[in-house]
């Protein structure tokens, strides 16, 4: 009963998906959400989710993938969100990592998409990199738009900021980086947050856990290692951590209850 709430099966790095899904199921990973980051990847996520019973998808425009898009393109995102297996609008957000970042355009699309999610009564999956202060300010001022829930995926800000985001009712997912003993920030954030706000992800094909250091691609089959590490940090048995994570996923993403 392992859960991967954020990966990218819509990438072409895995070889055959039939074998990958079978391997995940044999490892107990029976719930996977593949995340869209532009229109083609969101549409591919839909096709994958239609093929595999245990796979769901999200649709949205990632902050670093906005080139060539205009707000009118969000009509297609809205159409994809209506699909019965589309569980969230995402991944959306802010990313200040690159020197040529167009912050104004990122803010515009983040605003438009978070408002669309509120209109559709859907949760959002949020990408947040090198922008902690702006992200907290942005979400705090738009708390009314978050009533359907929000996930900060692959959380990378400080534990102190995590506590501020948690006050807004957000959920947090952690992946392979949290399994490395030297990765102090994510491990301290897991420790600081209540278990009822935690979720597991891989962000595969990237971010392998410690046992796969240097290997590519990562896959959702690494979720058991990530879950066991999170359980150890929280002082829980892995089985109990699995149950808590699944319960959190079902609360945040109501469409999963139809699986």
């Amino acid at each position: 009963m392992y859960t991967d709430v954020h990966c990218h099966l819509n990438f072409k790095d895995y070889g055959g998906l039939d074998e990958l899904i079978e391997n995940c199921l044999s490892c107990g990973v029976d719930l996977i959400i593949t995340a869209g980051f532009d229109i083609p990847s969101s549409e591919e996520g839909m096709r994958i989710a239609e093929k595999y019973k245990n796979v769901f998808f999200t649709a949205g425009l990632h902050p670093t993938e906005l080139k060539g898009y205009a707000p009118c393109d969000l009509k297609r995102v809205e159409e994809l969100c209506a699909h019965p297996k589309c569980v969230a609008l995402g991944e959306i957000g802010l990313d200040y990592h690159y020197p040529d970042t167009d912050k104004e355009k990122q803010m515009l699309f983040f605003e438009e998409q978070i408002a669309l999610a509120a209109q559709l009564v859907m949760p959002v999956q949020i990408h947040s990199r090198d922008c902690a202060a702006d992200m907290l300010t942005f979400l705090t001022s738009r708390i009314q738009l978050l009533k359907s829930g929000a996930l900060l995926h692959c959380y990378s800000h400080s534990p102190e900021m995590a506590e501020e985001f948690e006050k807004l009712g957000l959920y947090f997912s952690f992946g392979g980086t949290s399994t490395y003993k030297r990765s102090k920030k994510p491990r301290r954030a897991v420790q600081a947050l209540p278990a009822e706000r935690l979720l597991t992800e891989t962000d595969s094909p990237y971010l392998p856990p410690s046992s796969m250091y240097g290997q590519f691609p990562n896959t959702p089959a690494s979720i058991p290692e990530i879950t066991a590490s999170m359980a150890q940090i929280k002082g829980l048995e892995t089985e109990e951590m699995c149950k808590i994570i699944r319960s959190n996923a079902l609360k945040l993403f109501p469409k999963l209850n139809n699986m």
Side-chain angles (χ1 to χ4, degrees):
M1 207 168 77
Y2 291 104
T3 307
D4 187 346
V5 298
H6 189 102
C7 65
H8 295 287
L9 299 185
N10 39 23
F11 283 26
K12 303 300 182 184
D13 302 289
Y14 302 102
L17 282 185
D18 286 352
E19 183 179 353
L20 183 149
I21 296 297
E22 184 178 341
N23 185 43
C24 290
L25 289 171
S26 70
C27 295
V29 184
D30 65 348
L31 176 52
I32 299 170
I33 300 174
T34 183
F37 51 88
D38 59 11
I39 300 298
S41 65
S42 299
E43 292 174 337
E44 179 64 12
M46 175 186 68
R47 288 188 285 269
I48 294 169
E50 287 175 343
K51 182 175 181 181
Y52 301 103
K53 182 180 179 181
N54 65 316
V55 178
F56 294 78
F57 77 103
T58 74
L61 301 180
H62 187 285
T64 67
E65 305 298 320
L66 297 175
K67 186 176 181 180
Y69 285 107
C72 62
D73 294 308
L74 295 178
K75 182 62 180 176
R76 180 55 178 152
V77 173
E78 181 177 357
E79 291 169 353
L80 289 165
C81 285
H83 192 284
K85 296 195 78 176
C86 184
V87 298
L89 202 156
E91 61 184 287
I92 62 176
L94 303 174
D95 189 322
Y96 295 172
H97 184 70
Y98 300 103
D100 61 346
T101 295
D102 186 341
K103 294 183 181 180
E104 185 176 346
K105 188 171 187 178
Q106 288 194 11
M107 286 282 189
L108 169 64
F109 272 85
F110 194 15
E111 174 87 53
E112 292 282 342
Q113 291 184 97
I114 207 168
L116 176 59
Q119 174 190 323
L120 299 175
V121 194
M122 290 191 76
V124 292
Q125 286 205 6
I126 298 173
H127 172 99
S128 181
R129 181 160 67 156
D130 298 342
C131 62
D134 278 4
M135 180 61 73
L136 182 60
T137 299
F138 182 97
L139 295 179
T140 300
S141 65
R142 294 161 179 81
I143 189 66
Q144 293 302 314
L145 299 178
L146 301 176
K147 288 184 177 180
S148 296
L151 168 70
L152 281 176
H153 105 87
C154 200
Y155 184 79
S156 61
H157 303 311
S158 71
E160 293 76 20
M161 288 297 287
E163 291 174 339
E164 295 303 311
F165 285 118
E166 195 269 328
K167 292 174 185 177
L168 301 179
L170 271 62
Y171 288 79
F172 305 78
S173 57
F174 295 85
T177 55
S178 66
T179 67
Y180 291 84
K181 295 292 174 65
R182 66 179 182 272
S183 297
K184 298 190 183 326
K185 279 204 301 185
R187 293 174 68 83
R188 286 176 54 220
V190 169
Q191 191 172 43
L193 290 164
E196 291 71 25
R197 290 288 161 183
L198 299 177
L199 291 159
T200 46
E201 67 159 281
T202 58
D203 206 17
S204 58
Y206 306 115
L207 305 182
S210 59
S211 71
M212 292 178 58
Y213 178 73
Q215 296 182 42
F216 185 88
N218 184 24
T219 79
S222 65
I223 282 290
E225 180 179 350
I226 294 165
T227 307
S229 174
M230 188 178 290
Q232 186 272 326
I233 294 170
K234 298 300 289 181
L236 298 170
E237 295 294 328
T238 299
E239 183 178 355
E240 180 63 18
M241 195 77 244
C242 275
K243 290 178 180 177
I244 292 170
I245 290 167
R246 180 58 59 88
S247 175
N248 295 344
L250 294 176
K251 288 175 185 174
L252 178 58
F253 306 114
K255 284 187 180 180
L256 293 177
N257 290 286
N258 300 324
M259 69 181 289

